[in-house]
Amino acid sequence: MELGIALTLIATVGWGAGDVFARKAMFGASAITVLALMITISVITLGIVSLILEGPGAFGGNDLRFFGLVLIMGALTWVTGNLLYFHGMKRAGVIIAAPILGAAPLAAIALAVTFGGEKPNSWVLLGAVLIVTGVGILVTDRKRVLQ
Amino acid sequence: MSTPVHAEEPALAPDNRVTSGIAFTIFAGLSFALSGFLANDLVDGGHPGVIVGFYEGLCGLALVLAINVRQFRGRPQVTRAAMFWITLAAAGFATAFACFYTALSRIDFSVGAPILGAVPMVSYVVILFVLRGEEHITPRALLGAMLVVAGVGIIGITN
């Protein structure tokens, strides 16, 4: 459990810093070029790490369902996810885009309530109100400055 | 130092440009939430997180190249400085995917996802060093980001 939390915190730092580095790169390349080069380097890195940690055998033995799901995930994460996010960052700036993306757990709660039949407690509702207020402040900030 | 490249800059009014950027980001957030849910399913099924991240990236690369095939016919313009930041960003993202997908085999998605709500705060700290003079953190932006992080934190703790 503790290792899981620690790994998630490392992931938080990786994504938080990676977003800003990607935004910085966009001053010298188009969003789509940044994304394509980033995925290429990420895939090579993950491939090498997988080889070291799991061995070559881990790349095989996956069923059709696995490949179907990773294809959907690839589309969600890199096309409708990062591609749109990078365009969003280029247009709105990382200062506005990053907190809006950070509000994604609110969508997970909405899905759980709508489709999972879950009933949120008052703390969850308070958290949701804070998120909506925060996003509202960001979206209506007219003093945002780019470049 | 090469000259900056500003390809793909949309010809929109600044305010419309920002609004469309916000809409893109909201849609991206929904995509990430759904993708994380699916990753949790695969990792719970015994697939190593790094392998899931590798194949996901491979599929993503194929899709991004297929969708933007026309843009990549010519040689893309990338300054040397941009390549440096792209490499750093890729290292950050690869680390994040490997760590988070591995973490999902040890913790529930409902526990891990709210922790990622702290990503904006990490970004703001990095912005102070990397994007100084290029993006400015206004008091309103800081207040909005803090409220989002506080809200996600409350949901994460009470879950």
Side-chain angles (χ1 to χ4, degrees), chain A residues 86-102:
Chain A
F86 280 23
H87 280 293
M89 266 202 290
K90 186 144 191 169
R91 289 169 182 227
V94 70
I95 285 171
I96 301 293
I100 292 172
L101 197 71

Side-chain angles (χ1 to χ4, degrees), chain A residues 3-111:
Chain A
L3 181 62
I5 300 289
L7 287 171
T8 308
L9 289 173
I10 293 171
T12 303
V13 174
W15 268 311
D19 283 350
V20 181
F21 296 152
R23 173 65 181 135
K24 182 82 175 178
M26 282 176 215
F27 290 107
S30 67
I32 183 66
T33 304
V34 171
L35 180 66
L37 288 171
M38 249 188 66
I39 310 176
T40 306
I41 298 170
S42 294
V43 167
I44 292 169
T45 308
L46 285 169
I48 293 169
V49 172
S50 300
L51 264 177
I52 294 167
L53 294 180
E54 305 292 338
F59 289 91
N62 298 306
D63 55 14
L64 207 61
R65 181 176 175 276
F66 173 85
F67 286 109
L69 283 180
V70 290
L71 183 65
I72 295 169
M73 285 168 59
L76 286 170
T77 298
W78 292 105
V79 182
T80 59
N82 275 319
L83 183 57
L84 285 183
Y85 181 49
F86 280 23
H87 280 293
M89 266 202 290
K90 186 144 191 169
R91 289 169 182 227
V94 70
I95 285 171
I96 301 293
I100 292 172
L101 197 71
L106 191 64
I109 293 165
L111 286 171

